[in-house]
Amino acid sequence: MPASDETNKAVNRNEALLTEILKILDSLPSIVPFKDKIEEYLNTLRSAMLGLRSPRIMVIGRSRSGKSSLINAICGLKVAEVSDTKPETGEAEWKDYHHDGVDLLHILDTRGLQEAEAPRKADSAKDPFDSIMQAVNKKCPDVVLFICKASEVHSGSQKDIDICTLILMEIKNKYKRELPMIGVLTKCDEIAPPKLTWSTNDEKKNRNINAEVKNLYGYLQQREKLRFHIKEVVPTVAYAEYEDGRNGLILPDEDYRWNITKLVETMIRYTPRETRSSFARMAHLTEFQLTAANTVVVACSGLSGVVSAIPIPGAAIPAVIAIQTFMVMYIGWLSGREFSEQTIKDFAVTGGVAAGADAGMRAIADITLKFVPGLGSVLSAGASTIATKGLGDAAIAYFLNNGKAHS
């Protein structure tokens, strides 16, 4: 599902905001201090705006290694078809993950490498490599997950690594990007001693899992062309039962997933800065959401102060209001809401009444303070910074902290 018209309009308006801020900064005298800090603020906002695009994950692995199960485990609902016996995925295709109608994540589910028989679903490509490249030519991934069944690290994985290397080199040639790759050990519950419901305190099992993690990482590091790409190997269990139908939720009593949050955190750490907030939003990782929100609040507060320092009464009001609007909509977006003006309306009516009133007084303060001889611009900048920071903290409390003030 593509982003709504309202979201697209809001994104376009805020991209134009950056241009307007740059124009304002160009009008300032060359002796204005903190130029480097201003540039840092602008880069933070630019990254946040670019991050509104959903992240793209490519999943590569051998047939029956658990690729589709892993995709479902990451999303927390059934977005990929899973077969208990035969290969399921045919043509490599980008699958979109939505939550409450919002586009959150794009995943490239691919045919299994070294498949012994054709998958159930038809594919016009002659082999898995061609199938994957057809999809990659449509969109460039942000991160690659190389999947290997924990019990098969020493069984034919070298051929899988050969094919993966060719794919990464083709992507590098086409898009000029060195994609991060994360190795994923799947079906770790089958490692000796095998148990469906198992304890991570089992010393023997942990020792065996850690050994296979080191073995797979070692195999990948042996390839000179992969050394820059491979970041970590994360062991996982992706098995869960889901409600019937597409986008069926995980049945609470049938959730056997393990280490999936660690995998998502690893993806966030090694993907481009612009996509990290989308990952955190998709996986509902509050710690990462709060980090992203606070970073944007600091940048918006700083920019509001800089813009308000312009010694022309009232000139900064439209720019400051636009900065504050973007900040609130972005924090709401992190929580899973649509990036639109409706989000800020909901906040103003229910969650941010006091902060909204304070921000409204900012416009009056801007004009009044600038008439104070000698100190007008300085006082106005300080008031703008404080007001924007207060508004951002209120938005964080409302959208991400369940109404509780953020410390």
Side-chain angles (χ1 to χ4, degrees), residues 10-38:
V11 171
N12 291 336
R13 281 196 299 271
N14 282 284
E15 286 179 340
L17 165 64
L18 277 182
T19 301
E20 292 304 312
I21 293 175
L22 286 170
K23 289 180 181 178
I24 292 173
L25 292 178
D26 285 341
S27 69
L28 296 177
S30 58
I31 59 173
V32 170
F34 310 121
K35 281 283 188 179
D36 291 343
K37 201 65 179 177
I38 294 171

Side-chain angles (χ1 to χ4, degrees), residues 20 45 71 105 160 187 209 215 263-264 314 322 346 359 383 388:
E20 292 304 312
L45 283 192
I71 290 172
L105 182 68
D160 297 337
K187 304 187 179 183
I209 290 175
N215 288 331
L263 174 60
V264 174
D346 293 343
T388 302

Side-chain angles (χ1 to χ4, degrees), residues 82-146:
V82 178
S83 171
D84 292 331
T85 54
K86 292 188 65 176
E88 181 71 31
T89 304
E91 179 180 357
E93 60 177 332
W94 287 100
K95 297 180 182 293
D96 300 340
Y97 167 46
H98 311 284
H99 178 69
D100 291 339
V102 179
D103 188 11
L104 295 183
L105 182 68
H106 296 169
I107 297 182
L108 179 56
D109 190 12
T110 62
R111 278 172 63 175
L113 306 180
Q114 302 191 66
E115 59 192 15
E117 58 181 313
R120 289 182 178 180
K121 295 183 179 180
D123 187 1
S124 60
K126 63 181 181 180
D127 56 39
F129 176 81
D130 286 340
S131 179
I132 292 170
M133 290 312 304
Q134 286 179 14
V136 167
N137 286 334
K138 297 176 183 177
K139 295 179 184 178
C140 181
D142 295 313
V143 62
V144 177
L145 301 184
F146 178 75

Side-chain angles (χ1 to χ4, degrees), residues 294-346:
N294 281 301
T295 299
V296 167
V297 169
V298 169
C300 289
S301 300
L303 281 175
S304 294
V306 171
V307 170
S308 294
I310 301 173
I312 303 175
I317 294 175
V320 170
I321 291 175
I323 292 170
Q324 293 174 340
T325 299
F326 167 79
M327 177 182 67
V328 173
M329 286 197 300
Y330 181 79
I331 295 170
W333 173 83
L334 280 172
S335 73
R337 295 180 181 237
E338 189 173 14
F339 185 83
S340 69
E341 291 183 354
Q342 185 59 47
T343 296
I344 198 169
K345 289 177 182 177
D346 293 343

